[in-house]
Amino acid sequence: MPELPEVETVRRGLVEHVVQRRIDSVELGRERAYRRVGADRLIAGLVGSTVVSVDRRGKYLLFALDSTETLMVHLRMSGQLLVHDATTPRPAHTHVVLNFANQVEVRFVDPRTFGEVVVFGPDDAESVVPELARLGPDPLVDTFDEMVLRRSLVRTRRALKAVLLDQSVIAGIGNIYGDEILHRARLNPLRPANRVNREQTRRLVRAVVDVLNEAVSAGGSTLRDAQYVDPQGRAGSFQERHRVYGRTGQSCVTCDRGRIKSASIGGRTSHWCAVCQR
Ligand SMILES: [Zn+2]
């Protein structure tokens, strides 16, 4: 499932193709992809508008339009945004197509259809996308430091891994990067959040920012299912640098002493080394 680094890579791959370009028309397929607003609202909100910027908060892509409305895309499990020439055959599971001038198409493709394409304006943002107002700081966009993180950690005894996945605490971290970040910070995913001291909080902040930035530089992680690709169809390479995610039973490449364990924490399978993560 795309997390912050994958969504940021998608954002960067879209900018040059859509910013300052006008959406001439929209083609809609499977309704589930735009279930939140429906076809009429989506078409009325998009056609004739020019994209002013492509932004991101957490795992949400936000296209600011010159009409003051916003196009939001969430990729969820298997969504892709692909930039194609109009003459390129459309892949299976293409649910929404934005037609720009010069035959450029942005295609929302999503085999599992958990992803969403939504349009909202200043007046209906609160009712249409209430989750945006509840997002915590995005580590690469907003102020994210020891003080910000500590405020969230001291309040809860929940396992550290579950807290990292809570989008109202930090926006953008999912299961893969949650595991890799805790490994980098040498913290056990089961440790209660309120038992993380100042020095460990500092390490955790550093690990969040460093791991996410490194993953963005690598174009994100493309797992064996190969569902995540950037708008040009290219896979990421950060999966080659995963140290714990998906490595259950292998020896730890960091300390060379532990074996990678896995267990379900907050409903997600977590991976860690009990020797170097305390
Ligand atoms: Zn280890």
Side-chain angles (χ1 to χ4, degrees):
M1 165 170 176
E3 303 179 26
L4 187 153
E6 290 77 35
V7 179
E8 175 62 16
T9 304
V10 170
R11 189 192 72 78
R12 293 180 182 188
L14 288 170
V15 169
E16 65 169 308
H17 300 283
V18 304
V19 172
Q20 296 311 327
R21 301 263 165 94
R22 183 172 172 272
I23 301 168
D24 286 338
S25 63
V26 175
E27 292 170 65
L28 299 178
R30 196 155 169 207
E31 258 185 276
R32 196 165 129 84
Y34 44 93
R35 57 195 175 268
R36 220 190 284 209
V37 291
D40 293 348
R41 175 74 179 96
L42 199 65
I43 290 168
L46 297 179
V47 175
S49 292
T50 296
V51 177
V52 176
S53 62
V54 187
D55 308 304
R56 182 192 55 74
R57 276 187 64 82
K59 304 173 194 170
Y60 294 83
L61 275 170
L62 300 162
F63 299 68
L65 306 173
D66 64 345
S67 60
T68 76
E69 300 218 294
T70 302
L71 163 66
M72 181 197 96
V73 178
H74 198 302
L75 304 172
R76 303 277 176 207
M77 303 294 289
S78 59
Q80 302 174 338
L81 278 174
L82 302 172
V83 176
H84 286 155
D85 188 276
T87 57
T88 307
R90 289 181 184 167
H93 311 291
T94 299
H95 305 311
V96 177
V97 178
L98 308 180
N99 300 296
F100 290 85
N102 305 326
Q103 299 266 79
V104 171
E105 294 188 356
V106 172
R107 298 166 172 176
F108 177 72
V109 177
D110 189 2
R112 299 181 66 182
T113 64
F114 289 105
E116 278 197 273
V117 179
V118 176
V119 72
F120 62 90
D123 299 331
D124 60 0
E126 226 176 274
S127 58
V128 178
V129 285
E131 71 264 46
L132 288 181
R134 291 198 297 264
L135 281 182
D138 180 297
L140 303 191
V141 175
D142 304 312
T143 303
F144 179 72
D145 57 20
E146 193 193 332
M147 273 204 355
V148 169
L149 183 57
R150 192 158 175 80
R151 228 176 283 145
S152 300
L153 297 184
V154 294
R155 277 204 289 249
T156 179
R157 288 188 304 191
R158 281 192 298 162
L160 207 39
K161 174 70 184 294
V163 174
L164 281 190
L165 297 188
D166 182 341
Q167 301 300 297
S168 72
V169 174
I170 306 173
I173 298 173
N175 205 33
I176 296 175
Y177 295 103
D179 282 353
E180 294 300 318
I181 286 165
L182 287 171
H183 184 74
R184 180 78 62 95
R186 307 195 309 275
L187 290 167
N188 191 301
L190 290 162
R191 177 187 281 262
N194 63 356
R195 303 226 1 238
V196 175
N197 66 29
R198 280 172 196 282
E199 156 59 19
Q200 291 162 336
T201 306
R202 214 169 296 140
R203 249 164 40 207
L204 186 52
V205 166
R206 171 109 291 196
V208 167
V209 173
D210 288 353
V211 168
L212 294 176
N213 271 320
E214 288 166 28
V216 170
S217 300
S221 301
T222 298
L223 304 182
R224 268 187 297 262
D225 61 16
Q227 262 167 351
Y228 162 71
V229 289
D230 75 4
Q232 285 71 40
R234 296 174 300 216
S237 65
F238 195 72
Q239 68 282 358
E240 293 159 17
R241 283 148 69 182
H242 291 173
R243 290 186 162 250
V244 286
Y245 181 81
R247 301 178 73 101
T248 310
Q250 299 180 27
S251 68
C252 175
V253 291
T254 301
C255 68
D256 219 13
R257 289 187 292 141
R259 273 196 190 283
I260 306 306
K261 299 174 60 158
S262 63
S264 176
I265 303 174
R268 311 294 303 278
T269 303
S270 295
H271 310 79
W272 74 98
C273 168
V275 172
C276 54
Q277 292 177 250
R278 296 306 182 93

